[in-house]
Amino acid sequence: MLTRIKNLQEYKNVYAASVDDPESFWASQAESFTWRKKWDKTLDWDFNGPDINWFVNGKLNITENCLDRHLETRGDQVAILWEPNDPNVPTKEYTYKELHAEVCKAANALKSLGVGKGDRVCFYMPMVPELAIAVLACARIGAIHSVVFAGFSATALADRIKDATCKMVICSDFNNRGVKHIPVKKVVDDAMAMGCDSIEKVIVHKNTGDDLNMVEGRDIWWHDLVDGQSPVCEAEEMDSEDILFILYTSGSTGKPKGVVHTCGGYMVYTAFSFTNVFQYDPGDIYWCTADIGWITGHSYIIYGPLLSGATTMMFEGVPTYPDAGRFWEICEKHKVNQFYTAPTAIRALMAKGEDLPAKYDLSSLKVLGSVGEPINEEAWNWYNINIGKGNCPIVDTWWQTETGGILISPLPGITDTKPCYASYPLPGVQLVLMDSEGKEVEGNNKEGLLCIKFPWPSILRTTYGDHERCRQTYFSAYENMYFTGDGARRDEDGRYRIIGRVDDVINVSGHRMGTAEVENAINEHDNVVESAVVGYPHEIKGQGIYAYVIVNDAVTDDDEFRKEVLKIVTKEIGPIAKPDKIQIVSGLPKTRSGKIMRRILRKIASSDASNLGDVSTLLNPEVVTEIKEGALV
Ligand code: 7RM
């Protein structure tokens, strides 16, 4: 049986055991799954490669553990509960039996097109049940899924398709999101025109049924392909370390990296963390509001819950449609027990007042979760009082695309909670704080750079097609450590508070973005010579995007120029990367070696320009005064 911690003493004991003998601890967790063949060795690792292998030579298929394993015990229980964008459209339910059959049909459909083990399949879909079904279908036949968030642009989609040389794209025709009607397939068509030569077929799921142009020989309707298939499909036998999926995420330099997760360790860790962090009981209704295009959706809408035999809800819409009470209306309607969302959503709904949540019966709620960015004290308190009514522990969960699962979180009802603190490491997670000289910061009440000194089962294995980049980014800052890129504080009782990124990654509404990516997009504008992008505190989004831009020809129409820049960013990345503020400057503060002093730009953007420190050593100290005077704050 998977360990489900029930009290504080047990947390302490389990944590101590997991550090004392990680291999025995994780082997005992792994025992609770269905393996075709048991592993020979629990762990083989070297952070210097990195070369990390969990459950060595074990054979399994994760979908047998998500689906087949539950058929006898809970075949008629709802596995996926789907709530549509339009509250007047009926909810859909798939029991474990039905989901199993649908996944098998889709798996057979993919096989009929020649998709097999190791092939990459790209997804560009809204939050419809077919997305979860097709993702699981890939996993069933050993194909590697690469889900791209459907808010990304055609350019961003094409980049990801090419990087992973995907064989297929699965998309929807259109999508209704709030009041918007979004031409999803059109974006795929545009991406295909950008030289995605590896793509053999585009599979189109009919979602809204609006008129569509299908490219002959390339495009196939999902229903034509899937409907007639057999609901039985033997799962492919996978090695523990075969790739399960690739998910692109932004870093401080260059294009997004394809983070690689493998079958065995990811399975064990997502199930273990789901069970413990959400304290899921049989019969509970669990709802994570994330999009499956992000890691949170992968691990805590699909895999973690299904591995645990849970009822997991998928929501197609947005928090503010038809009004800002939608989340609470859904919680009442489906008697949601565990609710997991992002601080940016809480802040946006908080701004609409407490009358909306007060209209609904939220008494089914037991646990509230937060993920993606630091949750400020005001939002934490509002969530606690107006949604949890003071009775639901808040689990502020810290983790990353690269970690695969939640690494730091309170355990609800077991460990204490404190606003702004993700608090304690989960079993098997060995956190350390490092200083800039490479020394470990010991003791409590200290700050440092957050690192992890021992592998946990769902740590990333590589970045797709570029192993050296993985080593460089995560394993080279400190010897024998995984470097998270976050700064953190350890309080007097050993709780962790995440302060934020220490690199050039910003977090806008919980969406992770590289400032370099946004700069590269802005620089595509004909009149832009150079740009520098920084984050600044934003009341709702957590961080907003501030762009400093040097132009070639003087701009006569500021508003027009702004619009052009936003258009380019939307085209290159997507609307989520649009700068909130654009300041035209004559120069950027640079060191004598030519490096942009972002620290200064960050301070100015954050209206904190009173103490910029010594700027006299800059190559061009005079621009600082100019930038300060023209700042959009
Ligand atoms: C799950 C996810 C990862 C980055 C991470 C942090 C920030 C995430 C929290 C948080 C403070 C939290 N994956 N982050 N969770 N910061 N408290 N509870 O978001 O790869 O997209 O982003 O997000 O900076 O490094 S992610």
Side-chain angles (χ1 to χ4, degrees):
M1 272 280 277
L2 209 58
T3 301
R4 159 128 173 223
I5 296 165
K6 288 178 284 311
N7 56 58
L8 187 59
Q9 194 52 51
E10 194 183 355
Y11 166 69
K12 289 180 179 168
N13 295 346
V14 170
Y15 186 81
S18 75
V19 170
D20 194 46
D21 186 354
E23 297 192 34
S24 304
F25 174 72
W26 288 115
S28 77
Q29 301 308 312
E31 298 280 0
S32 67
F33 294 89
T34 303
W35 295 82
R36 294 274 184 91
K37 175 183 166 289
K38 206 183 152 175
W39 56 95
D40 303 330
K41 189 163 188 269
T42 305
L43 173 64
D44 210 348
W45 69 291
D46 174 11
F47 272 175
N48 291 314
D51 182 16
I52 304 159
N53 304 275
W54 279 96
F55 312 113
V56 179
N57 291 326
K59 306 287 177 199
L60 76 154
N61 185 291
I62 196 167
T63 72
E64 283 188 338
N65 286 280
C66 287
L67 302 170
D68 307 56
R69 188 161 59 106
H70 303 311
L71 293 182
E72 218 171 288
T73 47
R74 49 174 69 91
D76 295 321
Q77 182 204 305
V78 175
I80 293 181
L81 177 60
W82 179 77
E83 173 68 24
N85 179 59
D86 179 347
N88 300 314
V89 167
T91 298
K92 273 190 201 163
E93 292 180 353
Y94 294 82
T95 64
Y96 271 93
K97 261 187 209 149
E98 289 163 343
L99 184 61
H100 178 267
E102 291 305 317
V103 168
C104 286
K105 280 162 66 182
N108 284 325
L110 290 173
K111 269 185 166 171
S112 75
L113 293 179
V115 181
K117 186 169 177 172
D119 288 336
R120 276 82 55 211
V121 177
C122 180
F123 288 76
Y124 191 77
M125 285 173 94
M127 287 288 284
V128 290
E130 287 76 8
L131 169 55
I133 290 167
V135 158
L136 291 164
C138 269
R140 190 146 186 105
I141 63 173
I144 298 167
H145 52 82
S146 170
V147 182
V148 176
F149 173 59
F152 279 119
S153 69
T155 312
L157 173 62
D159 285 347
R160 287 157 177 76
I161 289 173
K162 288 185 230 174
D163 188 76
T165 54
C166 295
K167 199 166 173 176
M168 306 273 159
V169 186
I170 307 182
C171 66
S172 294
D173 52 358
F174 292 82
N175 174 27
N176 292 319
R177 224 173 113 73
V179 292
K180 290 191 198 142
H181 186 64
I182 302 160
V184 180
K185 160 75 158 51
K186 168 79 170 57
V187 178
V188 175
D189 287 339
D190 293 347
M192 292 298 292
M194 297 176 188
C196 297
D197 301 335
S198 57
I199 297 292
E200 295 172 8
K201 296 275 182 248
V202 174
I203 303 169
V204 188
H205 160 247
K206 191 176 263 188
N207 186 34
T208 65
D210 295 82
D211 273 351
L212 199 65
N213 173 44
M214 295 289 277
V215 175
E216 236 196 275
R218 186 195 77 185
D219 300 350
I220 314 167
W221 285 109
W222 165 277
H223 56 266
D224 286 342
L225 188 65
V226 174
D227 284 357
Q229 298 289 342
S230 153
V232 178
C233 176
E234 174 79 359
E236 184 77 25
E237 184 169 293
M238 305 295 283
D239 187 88
S240 293
E241 289 299 338
D242 280 337
I243 300 178
L244 174 63
F245 67 85
I246 304 169
L247 185 60
Y248 285 84
T249 195
S250 296
S252 49
T253 55
K255 297 213 160 171
K257 303 178 276 282
V259 168
V260 169
H261 285 290
T262 58
C263 296
Y266 180 82
M267 171 177 79
V268 173
Y269 196 83
T270 53
F272 175 81
S273 53
F274 174 78
T275 298
N276 283 284
V277 171
F278 296 103
Q279 292 286 310
Y280 183 91
D281 286 317
D284 283 351
I285 307 292
Y286 162 87
W287 180 22
C288 167
T289 69
D291 192 288
I292 289 172
W294 310 112
I295 189 71
T296 306
H298 282 60
S299 301
Y300 298 109
I301 294 178
I302 300 183
Y303 289 112
L306 295 179
L307 286 163
S308 311
T311 298
T312 177
M313 185 153 73
M314 259 179 96
F315 175 43
E316 184 184 32
V318 296
T320 49
Y321 177 81
D323 65 37
R326 186 70 193 278
F327 273 3
W328 324 127
E329 187 247 326
I330 296 173
C331 284
E332 175 185 283
K333 176 175 171 187
H334 294 293
K335 299 192 171 52
V336 171
N337 302 110
Q338 291 89 6
F339 177 72
Y340 191 28
T341 195
T344 189
I346 298 166
R347 287 190 297 262
L349 300 178
M350 179 169 82
K352 306 279 179 182
E354 43 218 55
D355 294 352
L356 279 168
K359 279 188 8 198
Y360 300 96
D361 175 5
L362 301 177
S363 60
S364 58
L365 290 171
K366 297 195 282 193
V367 177
L368 300 178
S370 172
V371 60
E373 43 173 332
I375 175 164
N376 49 306
E377 188 153 3
E378 198 194 349
W380 195 99
N381 286 327
W382 189 86
Y383 199 25
N384 183 35
I385 293 165
N386 294 288
I387 309 306
K389 318 288 179 192
N391 290 321
C392 302
I394 295 177
V395 291
D396 176 358
T397 63
W398 176 86
W399 57 298
Q400 309 176 297
T401 306
E402 296 87 341
T403 70
I406 297 166
L407 297 193
I408 313 180
S409 171
L411 298 182
I414 296 166
T415 61
D416 54 29
T417 60
K418 178 174 169 182
C420 305
Y421 281 78
S423 73
Y424 306 104
L426 261 59
V429 177
Q430 302 191 31
L431 304 174
V432 277
L433 296 178
M434 300 297 288
D435 68 18
S436 46
E437 264 100 69
K439 281 212 295 290
E440 185 170 342
V441 180
E442 305 206 42
N444 288 345
N445 255 325
K446 295 276 170 56
E447 259 179 52
L449 304 174
L450 185 65
C451 292
I452 304 166
K453 66 176 175 191
F454 196 88
W456 61 98
S458 62
I459 185 174
L460 87 162
R461 302 303 197 266
T462 188
T463 47
Y464 195 78
D466 195 348
H467 194 60
E468 172 55 19
R469 191 170 177 203
C470 173
R471 192 192 65 77
Q472 184 71 35
T473 311
Y474 308 105
F475 299 95
S476 70
Y478 302 102
E479 211 179 317
N480 279 315
M481 302 250 179
Y482 167 80
F483 174 52
T484 64
D486 281 315
R489 168 172 190 80
R490 190 163 48 220
D491 78 356
E492 59 283 0
D493 302 310
R495 295 180 197 91
Y496 286 83
R497 172 182 189 156
I498 308 301
I499 299 164
R501 303 290 304 195
V502 296
D503 52 10
D504 293 318
V505 169
I506 53 177
N507 196 322
V508 182
S509 301
H511 300 326
R512 180 170 156 182
M513 239 169 290
T515 52
E517 259 179 282
V518 184
E519 288 162 8
N520 290 339
I522 295 173
N523 298 347
E524 290 290 310
H525 189 288
D526 285 341
N527 195 24
V528 170
V529 179
E530 197 182 1
S531 62
V533 163
V534 296
Y536 70 94
H538 187 287
E539 218 179 306
I540 306 275
K541 301 182 186 183
Q543 279 189 302
I545 306 180
Y546 196 120
Y548 300 90
V549 179
I550 305 175
V551 293
N552 213 345
D553 302 322
V555 168
T556 47
D557 187 342
D558 270 24
D559 211 41
E560 185 54 33
F561 176 73
R562 237 189 102 248
K563 278 189 196 145
E564 286 166 14
V565 170
L566 297 188
K567 202 171 153 200
I568 287 202
V569 172
T570 304
K571 178 178 165 284
E572 293 293 312
I573 306 171
I576 56 174
K578 285 196 288 195
D580 299 273
K581 295 178 181 179
I582 300 170
Q583 181 182 355
I584 297 175
V585 295
S586 68
L588 294 165
K590 290 196 178 166
T591 61
R592 291 189 186 277
S593 59
K595 266 186 79 168
I596 298 175
M597 289 292 282
R598 289 167 187 283
R599 186 179 52 80
I600 292 175
L601 296 175
R602 270 196 292 267
K603 283 203 159 183
I604 296 174
S606 310
S607 356
D608 182 23
S610 55
N611 176 25
L612 292 180
D614 184 14
V615 299
S616 64
T617 58
L618 290 176
L619 199 61
N620 49 353
E622 70 289 350
V623 298
V624 175
T625 318
E626 176 212 305
I627 296 176
K628 253 166 50 176
E629 280 169 9
L632 306 165
V633 292

